[in-house]
Amino acid sequence: MIQKFTIDNCGPLNRVEWAPGSGFNIVIGENDSGKTLLLKTLYVTVRAMEEYGRGSDNRTFRQVLDNKLTWTFQLKKLGDLVRKGERNRFRLEADIDQQKVFFTFGQSAEKGVGEAVEPAESRKGNSIYIPAKEILSLDANIRQSREIDNQFGFDDTYYDLVQAVNKPPQIGNTLKYFDLARKKLGELVGGRMENPDKDWFFVKGKAWHPVSVTAEGVKKIAILDRLLGNRMLTPESILFIDEPESALHPTAIIKFLDIMSLLASQGVQIFMATHSYFVLKKIQLLARSLNLSVPLISLCGGEFSESDLHEDMPDNPIVDASIGLYEEEVMGILGN
């Protein structure tokens, strides 16, 4: 898991220094505050550690990292990721699974970092990034873009996820709570996703529905069952989720977060970026009912502030707007 990290001069972010928890970790902020950028930066770092030295891959860690940065951020030159300012350099330092990770680059960087400290060994597990948009209906397009055209379009968060869900299911026992999570996912979406001959279908009972006519929310969260079934999601995984509220109705969000709580209880570290007060409130209720710490950072103007959802709601425009609407409703009722 990610024990702590410091990121300097990353896009709109001046500096973020955080020691996240082992379960839920929440990132909030207004649009263009750097939430997705932060999640992707952490994902790139973790996935580079996982791909480094795996199987017959003989690339150095720096080569793996350079490739991951290029295909995730897809900039004309990597230095464009550096926060504007004279002599600014992007810098990341982290403790991940008791290993030190470090890399840095300046504004002139083209396709690679200027300096990197290689981890002692490859990281076990497969970490997963679930973007705000579903990927199953885009499967063929994502593969075409990367494997045939070899051009920018769909970044590595999409491509890695497509590769992960296309791994066939495995036979054998899984963890009790992972089985329970799969059962609850099946109840939530009412079926499962299958891809015979590389075409995705939503299977509900005996009916097979093409992915093109399947609800957006179902497509987005049903892939979790697949990732648990093919063992791409394990207790060693770090799960990054961007806007879980996207395309889900309130009841589905509640059940989805309950399922996430099951995964967190088994060792899956979760980083979640959200705009939703509804999501924050549900996770706060989970934190208090289970007596868990839920670290949260709020991004604003390049800076950050920390809080814990177990203790209280953070001071943030998302929360302020929601409370303002509630107070407006109450005043309206009292006024009548």
Side-chain angles (χ1 to χ4, degrees), residues 14-171:
N14 179 31
R15 181 181 179 88
V16 178
E17 186 175 4
W18 197 23
S22 59
F24 279 112
N25 297 280
I26 310 300
V27 182
I28 63 173
E30 295 180 291
N31 289 334
D32 201 32
S33 60
K35 299 185 303 299
T36 298
L37 189 62
L38 176 60
L39 258 60
K40 285 187 175 182
T41 301
L42 294 174
Y43 175 75
V44 163
T45 306
V46 170
R47 279 300 295 162
M49 292 179 69
E50 291 168 352
E51 293 181 11
Y52 164 61
R54 179 167 293 184
S56 59
D57 191 340
N58 294 319
R59 293 178 298 169
T60 66
F61 175 70
R62 181 169 171 175
Q63 288 172 328
V64 175
L65 179 62
D66 289 349
N67 183 73
K68 211 72 194 165
L69 286 164
T70 296
W71 283 102
T72 299
F73 293 110
Q74 300 195 358
L75 299 166
K76 289 184 177 180
K77 62 184 183 70
L78 189 58
D80 291 339
L81 188 62
V82 181
R83 180 180 172 88
K84 302 307 178 187
E86 187 177 359
R87 298 181 182 178
N88 275 352
R89 293 182 63 83
F90 174 102
R91 180 180 180 277
L92 180 143
E93 184 174 1
D95 288 355
I96 301 175
D97 295 342
Q98 313 302 326
Q99 294 194 77
K100 296 286 185 182
V101 184
F102 170 83
F103 61 93
T104 182
F105 54 88
Q107 297 180 31
S108 62
E110 293 290 336
K111 297 292 184 181
V113 300
E115 181 184 352
V117 174
E118 192 164 281
E121 58 185 11
S122 174
R123 183 178 188 275
K124 296 179 180 179
N126 294 287
S127 294
I128 301 292
Y129 190 109
I130 299 180
K133 187 174 180 61
E134 62 85 20
I135 56 97
L136 293 182
S137 59
L138 300 170
D139 187 325
N141 294 331
I142 295 170
R143 288 181 173 276
Q144 170 81 25
S145 173
R146 291 297 303 277
E147 297 172 0
I148 299 175
D149 298 336
N150 195 37
Q151 64 182 14
F152 288 169
F154 296 100
D155 68 48
D156 258 14
T157 61
Y158 286 86
Y159 183 57
D160 290 349
L161 186 55
V162 160
Q163 289 185 304
V165 299
N166 273 283
K167 298 285 186 182
Q170 295 188 22
I171 299 173

Side-chain angles (χ1 to χ4, degrees), residues 50 54 123-128 170 174-175 178 224 227-239 263-264 266-269:
E50 291 168 352
R54 179 167 293 184
R123 183 178 188 275
K124 296 179 180 179
N126 294 287
S127 294
I128 301 292
Q170 295 188 22
T174 57
L175 292 171
F178 276 26
L224 282 168
L227 294 168
L228 290 167
N230 64 15
R231 315 290 173 83
M232 293 301 290
L233 189 58
T234 67
E236 293 80 23
S237 298
I238 300 175
L239 182 58
L263 300 184
Q266 297 304 294
V268 178
Q269 189 179 33

Side-chain angles (χ1 to χ4, degrees), residues 24 185 188-189 217 220-221 241 243-261 272 274-283 286:
F24 279 112
L185 278 166
L188 174 56
V189 302
K220 180 173 179 177
I221 63 177
I241 308 175
E243 297 183 20
E245 65 272 14
S246 174
L248 295 179
H249 60 80
T251 301
I253 293 173
I254 290 173
K255 293 180 179 180
F256 175 74
L257 292 173
D258 283 333
I259 294 167
M260 292 299 97
S261 179
M272 187 177 294
T274 182
H275 289 114
S276 171
Y277 177 81
F278 194 88
V279 168
L280 294 178
K281 193 62 183 178
K282 170 59 180 175
I283 296 177
L286 282 170

